[in-house]
Amino acid sequence: MTDDVILQVKDLKAYFKLDEGLLKAVDGVSFDLRKGETLGIVGESGSGKSVTNLAIMKLIPTPPGRIAGGQVIFDGKDLIPMNDNEIRQIRGNKISMIFQDPMTSLNPFLRISTQMVETIVLHQGLDKKAAKEKAIEMLKLAGIPAPENRIDQYPHQFSGGMRQRVMIAMALSCNPEILIADEPTTALDVTIQAQILELINELSQRLGTAVILITHSLGVVAGMCDNICVMYAGRVVEKGSADEIFADPKHPYTVGLIKSVPRLDKENKQRLYSIPGQPPNVINLPECCPFFPRCDRAMDICKSKYPPVADLGNGRTVSCWLYGEGK
Amino acid sequence: MNESENLLEVRGLKMHFPFHTGSFLNRKKGYIYAVDGVDLHIKKGETLGLVGESGCGKSTTLRAVAQLYKPTAGKVMLKGRDLVQLSQGELMSARKDMQIVFQDPYASLNPRMTTRDIVAEPMRIFTKAGILSMSKAEIDERVEQLLERVGLSRFFKNRYPHEFSGGQRQRIGIARALALKPDLVLCDEPVSALDVSIQSQILNLFKDLQDEFGLTYMFIAHDLAVIQYISNRIAVMYLGVIVEVSESAELYKKPLHPYTQALLSAAPIPDPEVERKRQRIILTGDVPSPDKVRTGCPFYDRCQKHMDKCKDHVPLLKDAGPGHQVACFLYHDPA
C-alpha cells in the first residue's frame, strides 16, 4: 500500500503571528495521498483546510505566517526545506492548484493564451507554437467550445463556469501528479457545479491525477471522494474512507455535522439537528479538545488535554477521548 | 382560491432594467428582463421558497415585492392593498408589515452603529413618523427582548457588528427585521453565507420564530435541501419567470419541469451510497443572458426534451395536479 503513496504530509504546522496572539491555523495535520485517489478535506471556515494546502505548496505569506514544523514528502523529497527555485520546479508542474474564485486567479489583463502558454513553456520546455497547440488541446479536453478562437480572449469574456474550466485546463496542462482543488465549485450554481465536478472526475481518471478536494460541502465530498479528512480548529479530527465516515461517523463533530445538513432525499419533517455554539477562535487556543464546549459527550479529560489519535484500523483514525486508549 | 387568505399576492410582476451600450454617437438602448411576468401568492403563516440559479431573478422579485425597486408592471397586493400604487407615506406604513433579512450579514449591518441602535432603528424611525408610539424605555426593553429571543445575550447590545461572528450577525439582522412585528418577512439567502453547523441553527431559529409569532416567509436560497426544509411551497424560477410551483414534498417526489428535474439531480446528497446510484442530468451550457425578448420557452436551449413548439410559443404556468403548476408543453399544449 505504501508504495502508492505519492504525497505524505506529516505533522504539518502553520502558524500566523498576529497582534492578537499566535494563530495556529494548522496544528499538526497528517495524511497520505495515494496515486489516483481523490481525498476530500472538509471543515468549516477557519478550520485550516485551505491553509493546509497553501502550506503544502509553500504559498503561506511570510511574515506573518510561517511553517512551524512538519514534513511534506513528495517524490521522496521534503518540500518544506526547499528554496524558491526548487519549489517552482514542482509547483504548477507536478502539483497544481485551482482556486475558488476563477476571476481573481486569472490575470484580467492577459489573454488566456498568454497565461496558459507561459506555464507550459516554463515547465515543459516546449516552444511557443507547440505550447499554444497543447493549450488548445487542454481547453478542448476541459469542454470549452471553439477553443481555437476562445484562447485569444480575455478572462472577462468567459462565464464563471467557463473560467473554472480554463483554470482546470491550465492546471492540468503540465500533467501534474496532484491537483489541489480549493473549493472549486463554491462560487458556482448547482447545475454548473455538477458540470465542473464531473469534469474534474473524468479528467483526473483519464490522466491518472490524484486530487485533493477542499470543500465545506458534505454533499460534494460524498459524491467525489474516496477518502476524507474532517478538520476542526486546525487539526484533523477524523479520517477514513468516505463510505465509512458517512455510514458510521465516530467523532462527535462529524456526527453533528452530518446530522445538521438537510437532505433532499429525505422528507425533512422533523427538526434539524444543530451543533450548539460557535466555532472556536483559533487564536491562543488552549491545549484542550477545541470541540469540547460544543460537544454533547464531553468528559472531564476533554477540558485538560488534547486527545491522541486513535487508530481504528483500515486507515480510519479519530482524535477523541471516546476512542482508543483514552476510553 | 380564496383571495382573502392570501397575505401576499403578486400578479404579472415585471422588472426591466434599462441599459445603454455603444459609443456616444452610436448609442443603443436595451433592457435586462430580470423579472418578466411573475405570479405568486403566499398564505398567512406559510413559507414560500423561491429557488433558482444566479441571475434567474429571485432576488429582484423579492426586492420588487418590497418596493425597493419600482416594478415596471404588475401588482403587489399585501393584505389587499396594492403596494405599487401607494404614495411614499402610505408605503412607509405598509412596510411595517413587511421586513427583509439580507444575505450578507457583514454588509447589511452598519459597522458604526451598536447592536442596540441597529435593532432600535426601525422602531425609532416609525415612532418619529408617527406610525408607532414607543417611548425610549419601551424601545430599549423591546431591543433586549428581541436580542434574547434570537439567541443573543442582552449584554451584547453595546457591541459593534465586527465583534460578532457571521451567525451572530445574522441573528442581529433577524432581530431588526422582527422589531416592527411584521407579518411578512422576506428572506434573501439568509443562510447562504453561513457555515454548515451555524446554518442549521439559523434555519431552526426561523422555524421557531414562525411558530411563535405566526410569521409568513418568502425565503430565497440556492441550496435545494435548505429550501425543502424550510418551505411549505416552492417556486422554481428560471430566466425571470416561474417555471414550476408545488408543495415542497411533492416537488421533490414528482418534479415535472425538465429544469426542476435537472436542478434536483445536480444537487449533491451527503451520502456516498446514494450518490453512486444516482443518475445525474448534466445540463449543457450556461444560463442565457436575460437581455432579449423571448419568443419561446426560456429553457429551450438547455432542455433535453425540447420540441418544435417550444421554440415559438411561450409556455404559461398551468395546473398539473392539486396545488402543482408547471410551465411546460410536455404537460399541456400551447393555447
Side-chain angles (χ1 to χ4, degrees):
Chain A
M1 253 299 249
T2 37
D3 335 319
D4 290 355
V5 174
I6 50 172
L7 182 80
Q8 225 178 345
V9 177
K10 281 189 196 163
D11 201 28
L12 187 66
K13 291 177 180 166
Y15 295 170
F16 290 80
K17 206 169 178 184
L18 304 178
D19 292 343
E20 296 90 337
L22 188 64
L23 187 146
K24 296 182 177 177
V26 176
D27 199 14
V29 165
S30 309
F31 60 80
D32 294 345
L33 182 71
R34 292 188 178 76
K35 220 177 155 82
E37 171 187 354
T38 302
L39 175 77
I41 300 187
V42 238
E44 299 181 276
S45 31
S47 62
K49 53 192 193 306
S50 290
V51 178
T52 303
N53 289 282
L54 290 177
I56 292 172
M57 301 283 275
K58 291 195 60 155
L59 287 171
I60 302 265
T62 320
R66 72 192 162 92
I67 294 175
Q71 288 178 303
V72 177
I73 297 165
F74 174 74
D75 236 359
K77 277 178 267 171
D78 187 1
L79 303 187
I80 301 296
M82 282 189 181
N83 65 27
D84 283 355
N85 265 331
E86 289 169 318
I87 192 81
R88 269 190 211 125
Q89 300 298 318
I90 291 173
R91 194 199 289 150
N93 189 20
K94 301 260 177 65
I95 307 179
S96 53
M97 202 159 177
I98 50 178
F99 296 91
Q100 172 173 353
D101 184 352
M103 191 64 220
T104 49
S105 33
L106 289 167
N107 187 333
F109 289 105
L110 298 179
R111 295 175 199 277
I112 299 299
S113 55
T114 320
Q115 305 189 43
M116 286 190 76
V117 166
E118 184 189 18
T119 327
I120 299 171
V121 168
L122 186 71
H123 288 304
Q124 306 231 300
L126 297 177
D127 64 55
K128 277 196 170 169
K129 202 169 157 227
K132 191 162 177 179
E133 270 164 30
K134 169 91 182 166
I136 290 172
E137 187 197 318
M138 288 312 297
L139 288 176
K140 198 170 188 173
L141 212 58
I144 292 189
E148 311 78 30
N149 306 327
R150 299 218 70 178
I151 192 164
D152 286 320
Q153 292 184 328
Y154 290 91
H156 74 265
Q157 291 168 295
F158 290 77
S159 68
M162 281 296 164
R163 264 181 231 141
Q164 201 57 288
R165 285 175 190 269
V166 171
M167 285 302 296
I168 292 170
M170 203 184 276
L172 294 179
S173 60
C174 297
N175 304 325
E177 288 175 45
I178 301 171
L179 175 70
I180 299 178
D182 188 352
E183 304 259 11
T185 58
T186 308
L188 306 175
D189 281 315
V190 259
T191 59
I192 310 295
Q193 165 172 295
Q195 291 173 5
I196 297 294
L197 293 178
E198 175 99 349
L199 179 70
I200 293 177
N201 222 343
E202 191 198 308
L203 290 186
S204 65
Q205 267 171 24
R206 195 191 302 182
L207 306 173
T209 316
V211 180
I212 300 180
L213 182 71
I214 306 169
T215 177
H216 66 274
S217 163
L218 289 172
V220 169
V221 172
M224 291 281 292
C225 299
D226 308 308
N227 292 304
I228 300 178
C229 290
V230 183
M231 287 191 70
Y232 190 79
R235 312 214 201 198
V236 175
V237 294
E238 185 163 3
K239 201 161 60 180
S241 77
D243 288 319
E244 285 184 33
I245 287 192
F246 277 98
D248 181 23
K250 296 286 187 201
H251 197 284
Y253 175 63
T254 320
V255 174
L257 207 58
I258 291 173
K259 273 202 287 182
S260 56
V261 186
R263 281 181 61 160
L264 258 186
D265 56 337
K266 299 246 162 88
E267 267 193 55
N268 296 305
K269 284 296 159 241
Q270 74 276 49
R271 197 179 160 81
L272 207 56
Y273 177 81
S274 60
I275 304 174
Q278 308 285 333
N281 185 352
V282 279
I283 296 175
N284 297 330
L285 207 61
E287 265 306 301
C288 63
C289 172
F291 188 61
F292 102 85
R294 305 175 75 189
C295 184
D296 52 5
R297 299 175 70 185
M299 300 171 291
D300 282 342
I301 189 160
C302 307
K303 289 176 213 168
S304 50
K305 264 174 93 181
Y306 191 82
V309 177
D311 196 338
L312 307 179
N314 231 347
R316 191 86 194 271
T317 62
V318 57
S319 290
C320 178
W321 286 112
L322 291 168
Y323 304 95
E325 295 146 42
K327 197 178 172 181
Chain B
M1 202 167 299
N2 189 354
E3 297 255 326
S4 61
E5 63 181 333
N6 290 337
L7 181 71
L8 179 79
E9 198 165 333
V10 174
R11 290 234 196 96
L13 186 71
K14 288 187 182 179
M15 190 65 233
H16 300 166
F17 296 100
F19 69 89
H20 300 277
T21 54
S23 65
F24 174 68
L25 291 171
N26 185 22
R27 181 158 277 193
K28 291 192 190 87
K29 200 179 168 197
Y31 286 96
I32 296 287
Y33 299 92
V35 175
D36 206 17
V38 160
D39 296 299
L40 53 87
H41 65 271
I42 311 180
K43 294 193 195 97
K44 198 163 168 39
E46 180 185 58
T47 302
L48 176 77
L50 215 52
V51 70
E53 296 179 277
S54 34
C56 72
K58 52 195 195 302
S59 284
T60 307
T61 303
L62 182 136
R63 284 166 185 241
V65 166
Q67 302 299 306
L68 293 179
Y69 297 141
K70 188 104 190 124
T72 312
K75 282 180 174 180
V76 178
M77 312 283 288
L78 180 69
K79 291 175 148 181
R81 277 203 296 178
D82 186 359
L83 300 182
V84 182
Q85 305 298 333
L86 296 185
S87 69
Q88 279 297 324
E90 290 170 319
L91 186 59
M92 181 155 175
S93 59
R95 281 218 172 102
K96 195 175 97 50
D97 300 328
M98 174 178 71
Q99 292 289 308
I100 310 182
V101 179
F102 293 96
Q103 170 174 5
D104 186 346
Y106 293 78
S108 59
L109 303 178
N110 187 337
R112 290 168 189 246
M113 284 165 77
T114 59
T115 307
R116 180 216 308 259
D117 288 335
I118 289 169
V119 179
E121 194 181 25
M123 294 181 277
R124 288 183 188 153
I125 290 172
F126 278 78
T127 303
K128 209 172 167 188
I131 299 165
L132 278 179
S133 64
M134 288 176 88
S135 71
K136 267 192 172 162
E138 278 172 338
I139 290 178
D140 232 34
E141 200 192 316
R142 174 122 179 97
V143 169
E144 287 185 2
Q145 272 175 10
L146 283 164
L147 287 180
E148 300 220 316
R149 184 57 204 90
V150 298
L152 294 171
S153 157
R154 64 175 64 204
F155 303 111
F156 286 175
K157 66 181 177 183
N158 291 323
R159 293 198 191 174
Y160 288 90
H162 75 264
E163 297 174 77
F164 295 97
S165 68
Q168 289 172 319
R169 279 182 225 212
Q170 201 54 288
R171 289 176 194 270
I172 299 173
I174 295 169
R176 173 177 63 184
L178 296 179
L180 297 171
K181 302 182 180 161
D183 299 307
L184 177 66
V185 180
L186 306 169
C187 310
D188 190 0
E189 304 237 21
V191 295
S192 306
L194 305 176
D195 271 318
V196 180
S197 73
I198 306 301
Q199 174 175 298
S200 68
Q201 291 176 2
I202 300 291
L203 285 175
N204 283 337
L205 177 65
F206 272 113
K207 280 207 155 177
D208 293 343
L209 293 170
Q210 180 165 44
D211 293 342
E212 199 172 322
F213 303 114
L215 297 173
T216 306
Y217 293 135
M218 178 161 154
F219 200 100
I220 295 183
H222 60 258
D223 184 329
L224 291 134
V226 164
I227 280 285
Q228 188 211 18
Y229 177 67
I230 199 89
S231 313
N232 303 108
R233 283 191 310 126
I234 296 171
V236 182
M237 283 191 79
Y238 189 79
L239 266 188
V241 292
I242 291 179
V243 295
E244 186 162 1
V245 189
S246 156
E247 299 285 330
S248 91
E250 159 111 356
L251 187 76
Y252 287 86
K253 271 188 227 131
K254 215 177 80 185
L256 295 178
H257 198 283
Y259 178 63
T260 316
Q261 291 167 355
L263 206 57
L264 287 173
S265 89
I269 288 174
D271 189 335
E273 242 176 88
V274 177
E275 281 287 303
R276 267 196 296 272
K277 284 185 212 139
R278 289 175 89 200
Q279 274 295 327
R280 280 240 150 84
I281 306 169
I282 304 262
L283 290 179
T284 51
D286 292 315
V287 183
S289 168
D291 60 356
K292 290 181 191 68
V293 182
R294 280 180 309 276
T295 53
C297 175
F299 190 55
Y300 178 79
D301 296 326
R302 298 174 82 195
C303 184
Q304 291 170 330
K305 298 177 183 165
H306 64 85
M307 301 168 285
D308 285 344
K309 56 188 167 188
C310 307
K311 204 170 181 177
D312 317 308
H313 298 88
V314 180
L316 299 172
L317 205 55
K318 285 186 179 165
D319 283 334
H324 198 152
Q325 293 172 298
V326 63
C328 180
F329 291 139
L330 289 171
Y331 307 97
H332 49 75
D333 285 323

